[in-house]
């Protein structure tokens, strides 16, 4: 423990060493005790994940088949996963959902933040209002848009009918429009997050480079392209990372809007794992799927996450 | 671009954010027939009966109590568990030490793991020890996530806090815990508030664990609302009233305390 040596006082000459030693031991104990509350919360759950996770992954346990909890299958669940077409399609849905969703959120969000970052009447109220989608309960957002997109009584079809574009589109029942529709809700709900963080980033930028660039005659788009965006890069990468992490976990919006249907056209990975685990009760296999997804996320995000959060484990200390 | 065009774009965006909510509220105030009408009904007399039905018949009342209990308890416990750890890895241990960096990294990585990994292990264990079908198991899980959030947010608030203040307090004979509560915490109220706000929102809106770990009268608001879809599928007035009830407290709360949110939202990535 490097910290213990760092703050250790040099032993005073006139004190018996045993007393200093005891005091150091007490200080070390006090420092270690700071870990206890978090450990009490986290360790039992981490142990459960490890022990139960291993058990579930290696057994073909099904909640409605008595005795199946003792059915050892070894790597059978993994073999099943690698030949599972629904897993492949749910990975595809999640990737499209995340890439399209986060890209749109970034483009719209950064654009709006740049426009909001100036004098505009009612700025305070506007900033409060755009917060609403972001903190709205995702289940309620999904439910609301499901009703808005309803083929017979939905407001969207009413609007489309009013401008002569037809008034009975069953957006969520059509495999071609269902995924764009849930992505629309993802974008509606989370673009404000991008706006708020980017706006905070813009407001904390040093004004000096802008003044210099303006003196040099840069303005408008060129100023944004060559000064603002490069200076914002660290903020933008953190926002992208947080949005990707969150969007890969998506469950509530899709569950409320389509439950993964029609067919598997909007079945994202979390919705698939939930379906396997708690609708067909195949919890051994469902845990295996959860494990594979988590592993993929860690491998993909580990390098980016550590760098962006300014965390570096020094090689020499390993 | 002209200033007026820019402003118009911003106003359009805000309208796009708010219009669906206005539709939700207006539909909840209509009669069943008007709410479900294919022709949008623009003018109507507000009718609050759907709210009473959702609250009483639809059990939104008890769901709100469950949600509030889980959210408040898990947020407070998360702060209690997360603050000392954040203090340890920013103030006590040098930030670049292997121990501090590893704990910070572990916390960050645990937040990136999708909940579907732990869903079945938790369910299986909690079921065997009687922690499903009540709010206790759910509170434990939400406390775990609140703790992760607290560590990350407090870390971002304490990482630039001068180390001399702690050293002076220790020289004055204060212990680590007394130093934390008497000298560091009073300078980190912003972090405390940001953590509380975000943990509360996170818990209130959480759906997947709540769906699996609670049932019947112990369901939280999002689970009860999702259940409405199958029970009152075409009763749009009641459905939207339940949605408004379930979302309103947390939306109002977030708007009131929004100044404390922005920095916590990015775990200190944006000052």
């Amino acid at each position: 423990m490097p910290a213990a040596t760092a703050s250790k006082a040099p032993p005073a000459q006139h004190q018996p060493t045993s007393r200093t030693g005891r005091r150091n031991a007490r200080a070390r104990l006090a420092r270690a005790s700071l870990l206890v509350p978090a450990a009490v919360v986290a360790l039992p759950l981490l142990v459960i994940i490890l022990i139960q996770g291993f058990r579930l992954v290696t057994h073909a346990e099904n909640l409605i088949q008595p005795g199946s909890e003792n059915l050892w299958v070894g790597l059978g669940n993994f073999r099943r996963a690698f030949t599972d077409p629904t897993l492949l399609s749910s990975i595809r849905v999640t990737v499209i959902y995340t890439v399209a969703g986060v890209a749109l959120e970034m483009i719209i969000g950064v654009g709006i933040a740049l426009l909001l970052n100036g004098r505009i009447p009612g700025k305070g109220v506007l900033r409060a209002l755009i917060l609403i989608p972001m903190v709205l309960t995702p289940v309620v957002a999904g439910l609301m848009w499901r009703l808005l997109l309803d083929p017979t009584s939905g407001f969207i079809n009413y609007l489309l009918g009013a401008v002569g574009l037809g008034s009975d589109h069953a957006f969520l029942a059509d495999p071609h429009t269902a995924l764009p529709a849930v992505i629309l809700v993802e974008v509606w709900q989370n673009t404000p997050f991008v706006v708020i963080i980017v706006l905070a980033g813009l407001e904390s930028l040093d004004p000096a480079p802008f003044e210099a660039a303006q003196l040099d005659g840069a303005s408008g788009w060129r100023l944004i392209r060559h000064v603002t965006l490069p200076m914002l890069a660290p903020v933008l990468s953190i926002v992208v990372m947080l949005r990707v992490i969150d969007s890969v976990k998506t469950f509530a919006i899709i569950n409320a809007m389509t439950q993964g249907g029609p067919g598997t056209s909007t079945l994202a990975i979390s919705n698939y794992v939930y379906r396997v685990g708690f609708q067909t009760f195949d919890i051994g296999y469902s845990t295996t799927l959860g494990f594979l997804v988590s592993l993929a996320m860690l491998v993909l995000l580990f390098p980016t996450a550590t760098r962006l959060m300014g965390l570096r484990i020094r090689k020499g200390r390993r | 671009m002209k200033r007026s065009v820019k402003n118009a774009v911003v106003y359009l965006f805000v309208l796009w954010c708010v219009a669906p909510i206005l539709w939700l509220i207006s539909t909840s105030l209509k009669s069943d027939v008007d709410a479900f009408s294919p022709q949008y009904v623009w003018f109507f007399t507000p009718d609050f009966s759907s709210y009473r039905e959702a609250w009483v018949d639809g059990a939104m009342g008890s769901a709100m109590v469950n949600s509030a209990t889980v959210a408040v308890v898990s947020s407070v416990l998360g702060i209690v568990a997360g603050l000392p750890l954040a203090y340890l890895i920013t103030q006590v241990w040098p930030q670049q030490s292997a121990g501090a960096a590893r704990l910070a990294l572990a916390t960050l990585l645990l937040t990136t793991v999708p909940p579907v990994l732990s869903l079945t292990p938790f369910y299986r264990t909690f079921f065997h020890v009687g922690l499903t079908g009540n709010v206790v198991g759910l509170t434990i899980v939400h406390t775990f996530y609140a703790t992760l959030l607290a560590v990350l947010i407090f870390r971002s608030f304490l990482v630039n806090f001068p180390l001399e203040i702690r050293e002076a307090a220790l020289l004055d004979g204060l212990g680590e815990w007394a130093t934390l509560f008497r000298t560091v915490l009073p300078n980190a109220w912003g972090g405390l508030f940001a953590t509380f706000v975000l943990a509360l929102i996170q818990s209130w809106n959480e759906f997947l664990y709540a769906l699996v770990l609670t049932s019947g009268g112990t369901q939280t608001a999002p689970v009860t609302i999702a259940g409405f879809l199958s029970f009152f599928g075409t009763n749009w007035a009641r459905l939207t009233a339940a949605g408004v009830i379930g979302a309103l407290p947390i939306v109002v709360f977030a708007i009131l305390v929004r100044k404390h949110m922005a920095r916590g939202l990015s775990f200190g990535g944006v000052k």
Side-chain angles (χ1 to χ4, degrees), chain B residues 55-270:
Chain B
W55 188 269
V56 181
D57 310 340
M60 275 307 287
S62 62
M64 298 293 278
V65 175
N66 295 334
S67 277
T69 311
V70 175
V72 171
V73 172
S74 66
S75 303
V76 170
L77 291 179
I79 289 172
V80 170
L83 175 62
L85 181 61
Y87 169 72
L88 180 74
I89 62 176
T90 53
Q91 298 280 305
V92 181
W93 291 351
Q95 285 151 33
Q96 294 306 323
S97 73
R102 270 186 205 144
L103 278 175
L105 189 60
T107 315
L108 182 66
L109 290 178
L110 281 174
T111 62
T112 70
V113 173
V116 284
L117 171 68
S118 41
L119 195 62
T120 33
F122 289 168
Y123 175 78
R124 198 176 190 277
T125 310
F126 288 2
F127 181 78
H128 283 295
V129 295
L131 291 177
T132 53
N134 52 52
V135 294
V136 181
L138 184 64
T139 308
I140 293 174
V141 175
H142 282 194
T143 301
F144 175 68
Y145 284 98
T147 306
L148 298 179
L149 194 67
V151 173
L152 292 173
I153 294 177
F154 276 122
R155 180 180 175 276
S156 78
F157 273 80
L158 294 179
V159 86
N160 295 319
F161 192 70
L163 294 170
E164 291 78 12
I165 294 177
R166 167 178 170 267
E167 281 157 16
L170 289 181
L171 279 181
D172 285 349
L174 289 183
E176 294 288 0
W177 285 90
T179 308
L180 170 58
F181 286 116
R182 286 195 218 156
T183 64
V184 178
L185 185 59
N187 288 290
W189 284 119
L192 187 91
F193 214 62
T195 308
F196 186 69
V197 170
L198 292 177
L200 212 60
I201 296 175
Q202 174 178 278
S203 168
W204 187 281
N205 288 345
E206 199 280 325
F207 180 55
L208 184 55
Y209 286 115
L211 184 62
V212 169
L213 296 178
T214 64
S215 59
T218 65
Q219 285 175 348
T220 59
V223 184
T224 306
I225 293 166
F228 266 48
L229 268 175
S230 28
F231 283 117
F232 308 112
T234 54
N235 191 332
W236 281 23
R238 200 180 293 187
L239 213 55
T240 49
V244 173
I245 294 173
L248 195 65
I250 210 70
V251 171
V252 170
F253 176 72
I255 289 178
L256 289 178
V257 300
R258 65 183 182 279
K259 294 210 163 55
H260 295 274
M261 281 174 64
R263 195 174 155 194
L265 277 176
S266 63
F267 302 146
V270 179

Side-chain angles (χ1 to χ4, degrees), chain A residues 4-233:
Chain A
T5 48
S7 56
K8 195 187 284 175
Q13 289 293 309
H14 59 274
Q15 273 180 336
T17 32
S18 69
R19 234 170 89 188
T20 326
R22 216 182 308 146
R23 194 184 301 156
N24 276 331
R26 267 234 311 273
R28 205 174 296 145
L29 204 66
R31 285 196 287 268
S33 72
L34 293 165
L35 263 174
V36 171
V40 168
V41 170
L43 283 184
L45 294 180
L46 294 177
V47 168
I48 289 175
I49 295 178
L50 276 181
I51 294 179
Q52 292 282 18
F54 180 76
R55 199 196 144 78
L56 284 159
V57 159
T58 51
H59 288 75
E61 177 164 355
N62 189 312
L63 287 175
I64 46 172
Q65 288 169 12
S68 64
E69 68 265 28
N70 295 321
L71 215 64
W72 168 271
V73 289
L75 292 175
N77 281 326
F78 288 94
R79 273 198 294 278
R80 188 175 156 194
F82 286 119
T83 53
D84 181 351
T86 317
L87 174 64
L88 210 63
S89 100
S90 71
I91 291 173
R92 192 178 145 269
V93 167
T94 308
V95 169
I96 296 175
Y97 181 95
T98 302
V99 171
V102 175
L104 285 170
E105 284 157 21
M106 289 307 291
I107 293 167
I108 302 171
V110 173
I112 296 294
L114 286 169
L115 292 177
L116 252 176
N117 186 35
R119 276 193 302 271
I120 176 164
K123 194 173 177 180
V125 179
L126 297 180
R127 291 178 80 154
L129 288 176
I130 57 173
L131 212 71
I132 297 177
M134 187 180 94
V135 294
L136 186 72
T137 310
V139 167
V140 176
L143 161 94
M144 177 178 82
W145 279 96
R146 175 169 161 171
L147 302 186
L148 279 167
L149 292 166
D150 188 85
T152 48
S153 307
F155 190 69
I156 305 282
N157 274 313
Y158 167 79
L159 276 185
L160 290 175
V163 295
L165 287 170
S167 60
D168 56 352
H169 303 284
F171 295 101
L172 298 178
D174 178 347
H176 296 291
T177 52
L179 186 55
V182 295
I183 294 173
L184 170 96
V185 182
E186 154 79 25
V187 172
W188 175 82
Q189 174 144 56
N190 294 305
T191 305
F193 174 84
V194 179
V195 175
I196 287 166
I197 309 275
V198 173
L199 195 54
L202 281 170
E203 283 166 350
S204 68
L205 288 185
D206 176 12
F210 291 91
E211 285 155 13
Q214 274 166 334
L215 278 181
D216 291 344
S219 65
W221 172 244
R222 280 163 54 86
L223 192 65
I224 291 171
R225 169 74 186 77
H226 294 289
V227 183
T228 316
L229 290 182
M231 283 174 75
L232 263 185

